[in-house]
Amino acid sequence: MNERIVIIDGIDPQTFYGVNNNNINLIRNLFPKLRMAARGNVIKVIGEDSETARFEKKVKEIEEYAVKYNKLTDDVIIDIIKGEPPKNIDTTGVIIFGQSGRPIAPRNANQAKMVKSFAENDLTFALGPAGTGKTYIAIALAVSALKNKQVKRIILSRPAVEAGEKLGFLPGDMKDKIDPYLRPLYDALEDMIPAVKLKEYMESDTIQIAPLAFMRGRTLNDAVIILDEAQNTTKHQMKMFLTRLGVNAKMIVTGDATQIDLPRTVQSGLMQALKILRGVSGIGIIEYVKKDIVRHPLVQRIVDAYEAREKKVDDEFESNVNKTQE
């Protein structure tokens, strides 16, 4: 008799074991010659050496499938253990499989261009109105790179333009104050990574979420670095951020020129960077438009209404100026 220890380290044990331990109980039934005990991410089996070796091989194959597709079913477990290939899943165009195996893929031409730009460039700018999915696709690309071991960590940042007294009124320490502002980034991550695994990534700093000010002085190697809401950076902040790029690292900068919250006297660092860097080798620029909006159809009509209102105000202002000059 031989004892063998198998460690589940690619996916959180709760997902692997299944609801009410259904998956691990099925595996146990398919290996009747083995005695088995599972606790946390460790599975201990006792039996003949050849059978425990086969058990470890099959468990690792099941784990690899679960990591890739983010789900496990009875049929998949049975097929893998019996040595039959699981039914093919169409992966054409899929960036990553999210929670419950939901495929995350480009939903319009500009999202597809963004995926291509990420593969070909070390720095990609993605610009466009709210609801075009630019941040969501950026995070999907980062998570995919992490899962495929192309990078060792993900760093997500936003300029905390409200980091003055408004945040001061929120309860808790700095993390508690900043977290609500960074909530959209957490929401995207929670769509793509199981809760237990995400918590592990956050605690080990494999995934870091921080305000832009925390980037100063760092060199970011072996990482995908995403700057969201970049239209709210100052010129100095943008230059500081872009120069953090290290070895084996990629950056994605997302922003919306119509939602600049900076004082009118302060120029957006994103807009300046686009003027300076357009045409530079190794930098891709994707410009989303209203028709790329992938949220509720009403969002596009809201954007249209606001743009029409802003144009009307601008026209009235210009008309008044002309009358004054006359």
Side-chain angles (χ1 to χ4, degrees):
M1 301 295 280
N2 179 62
E3 178 179 297
R4 189 180 294 265
I5 301 295
V6 181
I7 297 176
I8 306 299
D9 55 4
I11 192 167
D12 71 87
Q14 289 182 359
T15 300
F16 186 86
Y17 295 154
V19 178
N20 297 322
N21 289 324
N22 286 343
N23 293 344
I24 194 66
N25 287 335
L26 175 59
I27 294 171
R28 181 181 281 110
N29 292 336
L30 292 169
F31 284 91
K33 297 179 182 179
L34 297 178
R35 285 188 291 158
M36 188 185 309
R39 176 171 294 180
N41 67 335
V42 176
I43 305 174
K44 182 170 72 174
V45 289
I46 299 175
E48 295 296 329
D49 186 57
S50 60
E51 189 70 357
T52 60
R54 176 172 170 266
F55 172 85
E56 181 175 19
K57 180 175 180 293
K58 293 301 179 181
V59 163
K60 285 301 177 183
E61 288 178 11
I62 294 169
E63 180 185 3
E64 184 178 334
Y65 182 97
V67 169
K68 182 174 182 179
Y69 296 110
N70 229 348
K71 70 173 182 178
L72 273 180
T73 63
D74 291 353
D75 290 343
V76 166
I77 293 172
I78 292 169
D79 286 345
I80 290 175
I81 291 178
K82 287 185 175 181
E84 300 173 4
K87 293 179 182 178
N88 288 331
I89 295 177
D90 185 9
T91 60
T92 305
V94 175
I95 301 170
I96 195 173
F97 288 88
Q99 291 284 46
S100 303
R102 182 176 64 86
I104 297 172
R107 295 174 61 183
N108 55 50
N110 275 326
Q111 288 186 357
K113 287 179 183 177
M114 184 172 170
V115 174
K116 186 172 185 289
S117 177
F118 180 79
E120 295 176 351
N121 300 293
D122 288 336
L123 172 59
T124 296
F125 288 93
L127 318 166
T132 51
K134 53 191 182 294
T135 300
Y136 196 80
I137 292 296
I139 292 178
L141 289 167
V143 173
S144 176
L146 180 66
K147 291 182 74 171
N148 292 328
K149 301 186 188 309
Q150 295 168 323
V151 297
K152 295 179 180 178
R153 54 184 174 159
I154 297 172
I155 299 168
L156 308 174
S157 186
R158 271 186 161 195
V161 294
E162 297 175 348
E165 60 184 19
K166 289 185 181 179
L167 286 174
F169 286 107
L170 294 173
D173 58 18
M174 178 57 73
K175 182 180 183 301
D176 295 327
K177 295 174 189 291
I178 292 296
D179 276 359
Y181 188 76
L182 302 173
R183 188 68 243 175
L185 304 180
Y186 287 108
D187 289 343
L189 288 169
E190 288 168 356
D191 263 5
M192 303 173 198
I193 303 174
V196 174
K197 192 66 180 177
L198 178 56
K199 182 180 179 183
E200 177 187 321
Y201 280 151
M202 300 288 285
E203 290 176 348
S204 64
D205 278 344
T206 300
I207 295 179
Q208 303 172 30
I209 304 181
L212 179 59
F214 289 20
M215 296 296 106
R216 186 173 296 280
R218 303 180 66 183
T219 300
L220 306 175
N221 300 320
D222 296 308
V224 176
I225 311 113
I226 297 173
L227 176 60
D228 192 33
E229 300 288 351
Q231 74 276 2
N232 288 327
T233 59
T234 65
K235 295 183 291 183
H236 298 299
Q237 286 175 329
M238 178 57 73
K239 182 180 178 183
M240 178 273 291
F241 177 80
L242 294 177
T243 54
R244 300 306 95 199
L245 188 65
V247 177
N248 189 39
K250 285 179 178 277
M251 276 186 175
I252 303 177
V253 177
T254 68
D256 179 1
T258 68
Q259 294 190 1
I260 297 174
D261 299 318
L262 296 169
R264 288 184 177 273
T265 55
V266 178
Q267 183 183 5
S268 167
L270 173 62
M271 309 318 294
Q272 184 199 51
L274 290 172
K275 292 176 183 177
I276 295 172
L277 300 177
R278 194 178 291 272
V280 174
S281 176
I283 297 177
I285 299 176
I286 312 300
E287 298 182 89
Y288 290 84
V289 294
K290 286 183 293 183
K291 70 177 183 179
D292 294 322
I293 291 174
V294 292
R295 289 181 186 165
H296 193 287
L298 183 59
V299 173
Q300 185 164 341
R301 297 199 292 274
I302 291 171
V303 171
D304 288 339
Y306 269 92
E307 286 187 354
R309 172 60 180 167
E310 288 168 5
K311 185 178 185 305
K312 181 180 178 182
V313 170
D314 289 343
D315 289 346
E316 289 175 352
F317 178 79
E318 187 175 342
S319 176
N320 290 334
V321 169
N322 290 336
K323 288 178 180 178
T324 302
Q325 290 175 347
E326 292 173 358

